Structures are given as structure tokens and as C-alpha cells.
Amino acid sequence: MATAPLPKEGPRVPLATRKPVSTYRFQLNKNFTFRDAEALIPYLADLGITDVYTSPLFMAVPGSMHGYDICDHSRLNPELGSEEDFDRFCGSLRSHHMGLVVDFVPNHVGAHPSANAWWRDVLENGPSSPFATYFDIDFDPVKSELKDKLLLPILGDQYGRVLERGELKLEYARGVFSLAYFDNNLPINPRPAAYVLNHNMDALKSALPPDDPGLRELLSVHTALLNLPPYTERSPEAIELRAREKTVCRDRLAKLTETSEVVRRHIEDNVRLYNEEGKEAKSFDLLHTLLESQPYRLAYWRTALDEINYRRFFDINELAGLRQEVPEVFDNVHKLLFDLIRQGKITGLRLDHIDGLHDPAGYLEKLQARLTELTGAPLYVVVEKITSAGEILPDWPVDGTTGYDFLNDVNGLFIEPRNALLLKRFYARFSNRNEPFSQIVYQSKYMIMVDSMISELTVLAHRLNRDSEKDRQTRDFTLESLRRALREIVAAFPIYRTYVDAKGWSETDAKIVDTALARTRQRHPTLEPTIMQFIRDRLLPPRNGSGNSPPGRSDFAMRFQQYTAPVQAKGFEDTAFYRYNLLLSLNEVGGDPNRFGRSLNEFHENNRSRRENHPTALLSTATHDTKRGEDARARLNVLSEIPMEWRSKVMEWARMNAGHKTSLSAEEAPDRNDEYFFYQALLGFWPAEGPLEDTGLNRLKSYLIKALREAKTKTSWVHNNEPYESAMTQFAEKVLTGPKSKKFIESFLPFQKKVAFHGMLNALSQVVLKHTSPGIPDLYQGCEFWDLSLADPDNRRPVDFVARGNCLKEVASPEGRVSLPLLLNHWWDGKVKFHMTSLLLRLRKENPDLFLKGDYTPLHVDGPLDENLVAFSRQWGEHRLIVAVARRTVGLGYTEREGASWKTPWSHTRLVLPREWPSLPLTDLLTGRSLTPNGGSPPNILGSDLFQDLPVAVFLNR
């Protein structure tokens, strides 16, 4: 089938009606800029992509390699290029009829004391900052010493030690005092800065005549600073006065130090004294007193675990939560974004961490209302929302999710559920771990709350305690009993969050809360029932006749929801997933290791639901956040088909490598659970072509350390257990490159090749399903070839686009096709995946209505291999598409040596077509061959005819 030439010029699609047909994700940073992205637009257009999808564009923390730590929403990130570079990038997209979907971060900003002007102003002015309400800061926290202050946990050691080592330095420049701590520069509250000016003032007065202009001006500035409203003032008048007068004082002081050398030396001497006072006396009292008068309290970074008083992104101190519910915040955060949308440069949005917002529904409704004003219709918007088992996307004005639901649906197709018990028994026996996954999740979430996010829990508990004190029925509830009950409920929470708001709550919300309460009562029957009921009433506040909650009654529930989401993310995905290693392909974002595989009915029902409700949601199989590459995951699924062989190999390798372990004080390292993790990681990661290079081994070792720290059982990010980490990496090195490694490699490679071969077949089926199911396929950068990457930062490495461009030229024959069966004979070079992807992308591009609007019908399969064949049809008007792929192929007899006999197992299995379908000739997009269904009622196609050349087929009537 010849591919239609791609037009280079033509009318733009109206912004308000544009929906992507496919997307390609770019990770922008200082090493991959707008210019680099622009250069690749022709390649993506020829590949068949319709829309580019990028990481955040706005100014981030200097040097950021991801862009999610935005510091200034009013300008593009200069490290990505100039405005002219961005305009050229957008112009190239338009000339190729391509759209631009941008990753946008509404939940948080980079809390950088220099790059983020809003945050710096809060550090300088505290509650008196006009930006104090932009952030979720508790200026009246439990710890009284932090009243009207912001805990700033940026120190590498305890405050007193840092101070006495002289690492905190007062600085002065151009009328402004600041504090330097290595690369950090912090503002100094201008009111107590007057003390620095006044120090040794008597000596200055003695040296100058009373009418000296410089002295008089210095005394006047000193008085003006002392008369500034204190930073604790919150009235609009005081805030305005403070902001105006401090600027006047700074301007006067800057001018004074430029014109009076005596005054300048006086200030410089005082700054030097503040910094050097303690060298002899070791007191540093002057600097300490000055720092105590700041709106922030400097602290050791570990202090944040218990006392931080601002909402963060998860437990990351450097990312501060934004309050999008404040109208001024919403307007300022979105101003440039809306301008770019109005100009037609941005045509869609991906919204990061929607569950972090105070009111996601309210935010999305406001966003789409503003966008409709700009464009005449709602914009294309997808949200990063993790839906747990049985959970559906709320009724939000969006096109759907970013695709983790589809990722786990399609991944589950290639896992054999009938072998779950065998694998579980072997894993438990080998690892000496018998806890069910649900218990591991509970323990992990509990640990996150106690070790990383206890301060947020304490705030919630104190709010409850204040409420309980107001009623004689509940005033006997103690703070600790409320804190304990809250902790247990959050640990038992089954999903990320509920969506209670000022309008009330849904029956779904009630069901989720009651599930958490029931689990808590079952685990802890001694908890006071009246406390549990009291908390339920706060999580599901009483509704009035209109279904709304009374004013203010929903606030606690909405704050609680902002806590359960990060605890779930950190406890479930970033901890439990690294502790429970039954089958690593299950441990994926949005996944659940308790769900061992998916049935055909589940897959089809979820596809039909997406077709009905969110037909333009993204379909992802790899993202910047996935735990492993899409093809590594496809490989590991093969282990579910061969549990006995896998068990035999693991036992053999364990005996073989026992001598490579390190004896520590209490155990041998790595332990059996981490060893089991290592073998799976190695199977998924091993190169499709060639041996493991030194760079690959280094990447693997870095990943193993990350996995250990995420698990938080032997080591962690906070407390590194270097002996254990070293034992793990040394084990990997000895197994793979040590003097006795040859024996292991000789045993490993044949098994690895078998797993890799069938994993490749899984991966090709996954490619076909992703590009033909309802939704928009999203291709993560570089995944045109095999994606065997590990978790970030490994999956964010630079992509060799030259090789991909050369491959596109190579596989594109004059007719627009090379032989996929021939490419499959040397599958390890990745060209078969590349070309199959391009063919499917071009098919979508030429037939957008078929994929964006077409019906979805699961097709019935008769015969002994009915469970091994996934098939459905898409139809729009007279256009019909039949999709059929093989799954769980180990038992079908396929081998790499006999890869051409794809049709042999299928001779007694047939695909049944709808009765009303005419018996029309069909063309296989992937091979170009024609096929006419067998007549009869209903018409059908023999499996051996479906898979004559490949174990996947995409038939189209044209």
C-alpha cells in the first residue's frame, strides 16, 4: 500500500476543533532544545505523527532536566531556547499540519529562593507578602516557634553546626542585604536589616560631622526601615505600605553607598563583622539574632520530615504546592499559557498531578471556561490521573487520562493468570517473604506517613482536635487518638483520593471512605468507634436539601484528599512496588500486582468504555515516569507462561552465584528478595542485540541502588546503607563480569534469548493494539526501536534520532513498504517494530475518523486457541478494520529458528466476523496481501489465514 505524500503547506485546522490522531513525547531540557525539536518535525511527519507532546515549557529551576519545577509561569524556559526559537518550532509544526500538546503543572512550583520571585518574596516578607496566599503555608502551625514563619529545610546539617562553621554568610549589594548558603541566596527581612546599619553607629557618628549628608541619609534610612510594618501584618494596607516603602529604602541605600565611601565602608565592615564575629568567640550571636528575625526558620533538611509547614509535591521540599483555588493565582499562573493558546501555538494540554489540587473539578471547569472564551470550544485536555481497580475517571470536562489505564489493560493481556499461584508459591519460598501485597502496601504507606509526611498528618490531626473540642460529645477525643485513627484510615485508603468539594460528595466517595473505615476497623478493632464516626462525618460532611455541604464543612475533607494522594503515590508505587517482586511487569504506574493478568472481556469492555466516554484519551505504553521500558515489560510477562522453567533457572543461578554475596553483620547481601529482583531486571534490560556493555552495567548498577532506596528496607534516600548498596552492585558486577561469570552467562543467555523472542512477539502485538484501540496512541521519545530502559533517569537518556531517521529512509521502499516478515527474521535490530509503528501511524493519519469516531466491536474466536487470539473490528461508514494479534505465544510452538511458520498452530481456530459484513476482499496493512473471508453465516477467517506471514494482522477494506 503506497503511502500518500504528506502535504507541506495548507490551511490550518481550526484550533477549537483539533484532536490529535497520534502524539510523540519530547523531553525538553538544556541538551534538547526547541531547535533540536524543530529539526525533527519533518522526521515525525514522515513517521506518521500528527501532534508533538512536550514536557513543560516555562522557566524552571536553572539546570532542571525535566521542567516540572517551574519558577516563572510568565516566560518560556530560556534554557530551551529563545522566543524566536519557540516560534520557529511552532511554525514548523503548523507547516506540517501538526499540533502541540504541552505538559502543564498546575499543582506546584520550584521553591527556588532566587529563580522563583513569588517564593523569594514570601521568604522576605512572610505573611505580609502579597504572594503568601499563593502557597499552602500554615503560618499558625502546631509548633509555636514557627508562628508566622516558614520552615526552610535547606541545610545539610543541624542549624547550630552550620552557623558555627561559618557557612551562612551575610551579603550586601546595591541596597539589598541577603544571606548566602553555598548556592542558595536568601533574602533578608528589610526591617531588622536596620540593625546591621545601626551596628557601630556611634563610631561612625564620631568620625563624621553631625551635618554630614551621608550620615543624615543613613540615619533616615535606618529610621524608615524600623518604621516598616512588621512582616506579621496581614492587612492589605500594611502589605502595600511595606512593599512600597522597603523599595524606597533600598533605592536610597543603593544611591547612598554609591556616593558615600564612608557609609559604604561602614556597611561592609558591619557585614564582615556579622560573618567573622564567631571566629574567635565562636558566638555568631549577631548573625544568629538577625536570622531569628526572619520570616523563615533555617533548618536541617531532615527536620522537614516532622515540622514542615507548607504543602509540597509529595515529600519533595524543593517543590511547593500552589493554591489554584485563589483567583489571582489561577490568573497569574495561566496568563502566558492562555496567550500561547490564543495565538494557536499550543493546541492541547496534559495536566500533571491533577489529584494534588484542592478542587480538581472546579479547576478544570474554570480552565475549560477560559479556554472556550479564547478558542470558541473546549481545548484538548488530558489529565495525569491514576485510576485504581474499579475506579472510573470523574465526570470532568477533559478528553481522558494520559494512558496508564490502557498501559495496564494491554499489559495484562500477556500475563497468564492460571500460573499465578505457582509463581506466588515459588516467590514466597525463594524470598522468604509471605506477606500478601495488601499488607506490604499498608506497611509502606504507614512508613511514608511516619517517616516522610508526618507533619502534614499532624496538621490534619490538630484540625480535627480543634473541631472535637467544640462539642461536648467529642471533647474527650485526644489528639493522639485522632492522629492514630487518621493514620490508619489513610494507610487503608483504597485509591488515591475522593473528590468531596463545596458542592458535596458522591455515592462513590462514600463507598471509598466506608471501605477505608471498614478495613481500619478490621485491622484495629480496638479503635474507638465514636472517633471513627466523627472522622467519617468530617470526610463526608452532612449535605443540605440541595445536596451541598454547609459553608466551611467541606474544608477538612478537601485537605484530607490532598494528603491521601501523595501518600498513595509514595507508599504504593514508589515503595511497595520495589518491595514486592513477584513479577516486575505488574509493578507499573497505575498497576496492581494483586491483579495477575487481564481477561479478554476486561480488555474489550475497557476499550468499549473508552470509545463511548473518552475516545480521544491517550494510550500509553511508556512515559517519562514508567518503571521500565515497554518492551522490557513485554519480556517479563513471558515468565508468567513458564513458571516451572523460571523456577529452575532462578534456583540454578542462586546456587551458582552464592559465592558472590557479601557477609554483613546480620545477613548476606543481597538478600533473596533483592536477588530475585536482580534476575528479573537483568532479563528485561539485556540488550536485544549484542552483549551487555560497560555503560549498560553502570546503568544497571545505578538502577539497583535506586530500587533499593525506593524499597526503604535495607537503605533509603534519607539514610544510605553504603555497605548493603555496595554489596548489591558488587554482586551484579561479579555475576556479569567476574572471574566466574562465564558459567552464569552460559546458563543465562539461552533462557534470556527465549524470553526475549517471545517478549518481542508480545511487544509487536502491543504495538498493534495500541495504535488501533479507541484512543490516541502516545509514542514516548525513542520507542520506535526496542525500549528496554529502566526507570528514570535511565528512560530520559538522549535519543539517537540520527539512527531513527536513517531507519525511516531505509525501510521506506518506493512502494512505501518493506517486507515485515523479512525484518522479523532479524528482529533484534528493532526495524520490525519501527516499520510496523510507522505503517500504523500513517494508517491513522490517512483515516482519522475511523480511529477517532469508529465503532469498536470485539470479535468472537472459535477453536482451541480462542484465548490466545485478541481480535476486534473498527468501523466508520463503509470503512472496516479487522485487528488480530496473538498472545501468550510460548505454548504455540514458535521458535526463533522456525519463525516463518506463524500459521501452523492456528489451523483449527477461526475468527468469526459480524453476520452483516459483506464478504469483501481485505488488505493486510502490514504485508500488503489480500484475503477474502470465508462465506457463510456468519463469515469467518481461518487463523492460519490470519497469521500466514506474521503473528499479528491488520486488515482493511479499501
Side-chain angles (χ1 to χ4, degrees):
M1 179 185 66
T3 302
L6 295 170
K8 298 300 182 184
E9 300 291 343
R12 283 176 49 201
V13 177
L15 174 63
T17 59
R18 182 180 182 88
K19 302 288 185 183
V21 182
S22 60
T23 60
Y24 190 98
R25 168 79 177 202
F26 277 143
Q27 290 292 118
L28 299 173
N29 53 60
K30 62 184 179 180
N31 298 323
F32 188 83
T33 65
F34 295 137
R35 289 189 177 188
D36 297 312
E38 179 199 353
L40 292 169
I41 299 306
Y43 160 74
L44 294 183
D46 289 342
L47 188 66
I49 294 293
T50 69
D51 290 65
V52 168
Y53 157 36
T54 72
S55 55
L57 302 179
F58 300 128
M59 180 180 168
V61 169
S64 173
M65 296 301 290
H66 50 78
Y68 289 92
D69 44 3
I70 295 172
C71 286
D72 188 348
H73 289 84
S74 68
R75 51 187 296 215
L76 295 172
N77 190 344
E79 293 186 357
L80 305 183
S82 65
E83 289 186 23
E84 292 75 16
D85 293 334
F86 179 66
D87 287 345
R88 283 194 293 268
F89 171 54
C90 294
S92 182
L93 287 169
R94 283 196 296 270
S95 69
H96 290 84
H97 305 295
M98 298 174 73
L100 176 60
V101 178
V102 169
D103 205 334
F104 187 70
V105 189
N107 174 68
H108 57 269
V109 290
H112 193 281
S114 299
N116 191 326
W118 297 345
W119 188 250
R120 187 174 183 85
D121 197 277
V122 173
L123 294 180
E124 181 182 349
N125 301 296
S128 194
S129 168
F131 304 106
T133 57
Y134 281 38
F135 305 97
D136 264 330
I137 301 172
D138 184 3
F139 282 118
D140 189 19
V142 176
K143 188 179 177 72
S144 59
E145 293 85 350
L146 286 176
K147 183 174 177 57
D148 293 324
K149 287 180 178 286
L150 179 72
L151 185 76
L152 200 60
I154 64 171
L155 303 181
D157 200 349
Q158 295 176 16
Y159 166 75
R161 295 175 181 175
V162 170
L163 177 70
E164 293 171 7
R165 286 199 296 261
E167 295 173 359
L168 300 171
K169 299 288 186 182
L170 184 65
E171 294 182 343
Y172 170 81
R174 296 182 295 279
V176 178
F177 289 97
S178 62
L179 182 74
Y181 176 64
F182 295 107
D183 293 336
N184 291 288
N185 181 275
L186 306 173
I188 289 294
N189 178 7
R191 199 166 187 258
Y195 304 147
V196 182
L197 299 182
N198 193 53
H199 197 75
N200 286 332
M201 184 65 79
D202 289 343
L204 183 63
K205 289 178 179 179
S206 299
L208 295 174
D211 60 349
D212 181 83
L215 177 61
R216 286 188 302 181
E217 178 66 359
L218 180 63
L219 292 172
S220 177
V221 171
H222 171 261
T223 301
L225 288 174
L226 289 178
N227 286 328
L228 288 176
Y231 73 78
T232 55
E233 290 287 343
R234 289 173 166 84
S235 71
E237 297 78 15
I239 291 174
E240 182 182 359
L241 176 62
R242 178 182 168 93
R244 181 182 68 243
E245 294 303 314
K246 74 173 183 180
T247 303
V248 171
C249 289
R250 285 174 176 172
D251 291 344
R252 291 172 62 190
L253 191 59
K255 184 176 180 180
L256 175 60
T257 52
E258 288 176 359
T259 57
S260 173
E261 183 178 349
V262 175
V263 170
R264 177 172 54 79
R265 279 203 310 268
H266 169 77
I267 294 175
E268 289 174 348
D269 289 344
N270 284 348
V271 167
R272 191 178 303 112
L273 179 63
Y274 268 68
N275 289 332
E276 296 181 356
E277 174 206 17
K279 284 190 174 180
E280 299 298 330
K282 300 188 183 300
S283 66
F284 287 96
D285 287 345
L286 285 174
L287 185 56
H288 171 65
T289 301
L290 179 65
L291 295 181
E292 286 294 276
S293 65
Q294 301 308 306
Y296 53 83
R297 176 171 175 153
L298 289 172
Y300 185 25
W301 66 268
R302 289 180 177 173
T303 307
L305 305 180
D306 295 310
E307 295 182 349
I308 200 158
N309 62 331
Y310 62 90
R311 182 172 66 87
R312 303 164 289 174
F313 172 70
F314 295 171
D315 57 354
I316 303 173
N317 299 336
E318 295 79 16
L319 297 176
L322 280 174
R323 299 182 63 209
Q324 291 292 349
E325 64 272 22
V326 176
E328 186 180 0
V329 176
F330 182 93
D331 291 340
N332 286 333
V333 165
H334 294 82
K335 186 177 185 303
L336 176 58
L337 176 71
F338 288 161
D339 284 345
L340 296 175
I341 292 171
R342 179 181 51 79
Q343 296 168 26
K345 295 175 180 177
I346 293 176
T347 59
L349 294 177
R350 180 261 197 196
L351 298 176
D352 181 70
H353 191 47
I354 197 71
D355 275 344
L357 298 179
H358 188 61
D359 181 9
Y363 168 80
L364 291 168
E365 289 164 3
K366 185 173 184 179
L367 177 73
Q368 287 288 26
R370 293 287 184 88
L371 292 171
T372 301
E373 292 175 7
L374 291 173
T375 68
L379 196 74
Y380 178 77
V381 174
V382 290
V383 290
E384 185 201 32
K385 163 65 188 166
I386 307 301
T387 52
S388 305
E391 185 184 7
I392 62 173
L393 187 66
D395 186 20
W396 292 338
V398 298
D399 287 80
T401 73
T402 54
Y404 291 121
D405 45 2
F406 176 81
L407 182 155
N408 287 283
D409 285 342
V410 75
N411 185 65
L413 281 176
F414 302 97
I415 296 173
E416 176 53 83
R418 288 174 291 193
N419 291 329
L421 185 58
L422 280 173
L423 274 175
K424 287 179 179 179
R425 285 175 175 171
F426 171 58
Y427 171 60
R429 189 180 309 119
F430 183 84
S431 66
N432 297 316
R433 300 200 173 187
N434 295 301
E435 313 104 305
F437 181 66
S438 58
Q439 178 65 12
I440 293 174
V441 170
Y442 167 81
Q443 293 168 347
S444 299
K445 292 173 69 174
Y446 193 97
M447 183 211 65
I448 289 296
M449 284 186 282
V450 171
D451 290 351
S452 300
M453 301 185 72
I454 191 64
S455 56
E456 292 90 340
L457 182 69
T458 298
V459 169
L460 290 173
H462 273 266
R463 288 193 181 201
L464 270 186
N465 191 50
R466 287 195 294 267
D467 282 351
S468 70
E469 292 289 345
K470 297 173 184 177
D471 191 325
R472 64 181 180 224
Q473 299 292 334
T474 58
R475 72 178 193 178
D476 285 346
F477 296 164
T478 66
L479 172 62
E480 184 51 39
S481 65
L482 291 167
R483 188 192 341 250
R484 182 191 177 201
L486 272 178
R487 187 169 55 229
E488 294 298 336
I489 292 168
V490 174
F493 222 69
I495 63 173
Y496 267 63
R497 61 170 286 172
T498 49
Y499 295 97
V500 178
D501 58 24
K503 299 176 183 177
W505 43 268
S506 68
E507 294 306 317
T508 299
D509 293 327
K511 182 178 179 181
I512 292 165
V513 169
D514 287 337
T515 297
L517 293 173
R519 290 179 178 180
T520 301
R521 292 189 188 101
Q522 185 177 21
R523 182 174 273 116
H524 299 283
T526 59
L527 282 175
E528 173 58 48
T530 55
I531 288 180
M532 301 293 281
Q533 183 61 45
F534 174 72
I535 293 176
R536 185 186 190 278
D537 290 342
R538 268 65 193 167
L539 298 182
L540 300 169
R543 296 181 289 190
N544 57 30
S546 62
N548 296 342
S549 300
R553 289 300 300 272
S554 61
D555 183 65
F556 177 81
M558 296 175 77
R559 296 289 179 184
F560 176 84
Q561 292 167 158
Q562 286 182 288
Y563 184 62
T564 60
V567 171
Q568 179 82 349
K570 294 300 295 179
F572 191 85
E573 294 181 3
D574 290 345
T575 304
F577 274 8
Y578 289 94
R579 294 182 174 186
Y580 185 74
N581 302 325
L582 171 66
L583 184 64
L584 293 185
S585 56
L586 291 168
N587 298 9
E588 194 48 86
V589 180
D592 182 355
N594 276 324
R595 301 184 67 193
F596 200 91
R598 299 285 199 280
S599 69
L600 289 173
N601 284 339
E602 284 181 278
F603 178 76
H604 288 312
E605 283 305 310
N606 288 339
N607 265 354
R608 282 201 283 207
S609 175
R610 190 180 305 106
R611 161 65 183 79
E612 293 300 318
N613 299 304
H614 298 102
T616 50
L618 287 185
L619 307 178
S620 299
T621 46
T623 76
H624 56 291
D625 282 334
T626 41
K627 304 298 184 185
R628 54 194 45 82
E630 62 186 33
D631 301 312
R633 196 184 314 118
R635 274 188 188 179
L636 293 176
N637 289 337
V638 176
L639 299 181
S640 72
E641 299 185 65
I642 50 173
M644 301 305 292
E645 191 174 351
W646 166 240
R647 181 177 71 174
S648 174
K649 281 297 179 184
V650 170
M651 296 303 295
E652 177 186 342
W653 298 337
R655 290 190 298 269
M656 196 179 292
N657 297 324
H660 299 325
K661 295 191 174 187
T662 301
S663 294
L664 301 179
S665 57
E667 62 183 341
E668 282 195 326
D671 69 12
R672 296 291 285 262
N673 192 45
D674 293 331
E675 183 181 3
Y676 195 79
F677 179 96
F678 166 73
Y679 294 136
Q680 288 189 71
L682 190 63
L683 277 173
F685 176 70
W686 196 269
E689 185 177 14
L692 187 67
E693 304 287 347
D694 289 345
T695 54
L697 178 58
N698 291 333
R699 287 165 52 207
L700 179 62
K701 290 194 293 185
S702 296
Y703 171 68
L704 292 173
I705 291 175
K706 171 173 180 162
L708 292 175
R709 291 179 180 177
E710 294 285 22
K712 307 171 190 69
T713 54
K714 307 293 185 181
T715 183
S716 71
W717 296 106
V718 177
H719 301 289
N720 299 161
N721 182 346
E722 293 185 5
Y724 192 89
E725 292 178 1
S726 178
M728 182 79 249
T729 56
Q730 287 177 20
F731 178 79
E733 193 164 350
K734 289 175 182 178
V735 167
L736 297 173
T737 63
K740 299 180 181 180
S741 62
K742 182 179 179 182
K743 185 176 180 183
F744 170 76
I745 297 297
E746 288 176 348
S747 171
F748 175 78
L749 279 184
F751 182 76
Q752 184 275 331
K753 287 183 178 179
K754 176 179 179 178
V755 170
F757 174 72
H758 288 282
M760 175 271 299
L761 299 182
N762 287 347
L764 293 183
S765 293
Q766 180 174 257
V767 167
V768 171
L769 295 175
K770 173 179 174 177
H771 289 84
T772 55
S773 292
I776 309 299
D778 171 43
L779 188 63
Y780 184 65
Q781 60 178 27
C783 288
E784 307 93 305
F785 284 171
W786 299 124
D787 175 26
L788 304 175
S789 57
L790 303 165
D792 75 281
D794 191 70
N795 63 5
R796 305 185 191 191
R797 290 171 295 125
V799 175
D800 185 353
F801 283 108
V802 173
R804 283 155 180 80
N806 290 337
C807 186
L808 184 61
K809 296 174 185 176
E810 181 183 332
V811 300
S813 68
E815 294 78 25
R817 184 197 299 110
V818 295
S819 171
L820 280 175
L822 289 179
L823 291 179
L824 195 52
N825 289 335
H826 48 90
W827 61 266
W828 46 88
D829 63 13
K831 292 178 181 177
V832 63
K833 181 187 180 186
F834 183 100
H835 190 50
M836 190 176 291
T837 298
S838 183
L839 284 172
L840 292 166
L841 287 171
R842 293 182 184 205
L843 176 69
R844 292 183 63 90
K845 196 171 187 177
E846 295 167 2
N847 302 273
D849 286 345
L850 176 62
F851 293 99
L852 300 185
K853 303 176 183 177
D855 293 338
Y856 178 90
T857 305
L859 297 180
H860 180 67
V861 179
D862 274 340
L865 299 182
D866 58 336
E867 284 293 310
N868 297 84
L869 198 159
V870 186
F872 56 83
S873 69
R874 305 296 308 275
Q875 182 173 353
W876 178 254
E878 297 301 316
H879 290 279
R880 295 176 178 85
L881 183 78
I882 295 176
V883 176
V885 304
R887 67 168 182 158
R888 302 174 189 164
T889 58
V890 175
L892 302 183
Y894 294 152
T895 67
E896 192 167 357
R897 293 187 304 275
E898 301 169 1
S901 58
W902 305 110
K903 65 181 182 179
T904 303
W906 301 96
S907 56
H908 299 292
T909 300
R910 62 177 187 154
L911 179 65
V912 181
L913 303 180
R915 292 181 181 275
E916 65 275 11
W917 272 37
S919 185
L920 296 175
L922 302 171
T923 301
D924 187 356
L925 170 79
L926 304 179
T927 63
R929 67 187 177 95
S930 294
L931 179 149
T932 301
N934 299 317
S937 182
N940 62 85
I941 304 173
L942 288 176
S944 53
D945 291 333
L946 276 176
F947 300 140
Q948 186 172 338
D949 301 308
L950 296 169
V952 294
V954 180
F955 286 99
L956 183 69
N957 73 308
R958 301 185 66 87

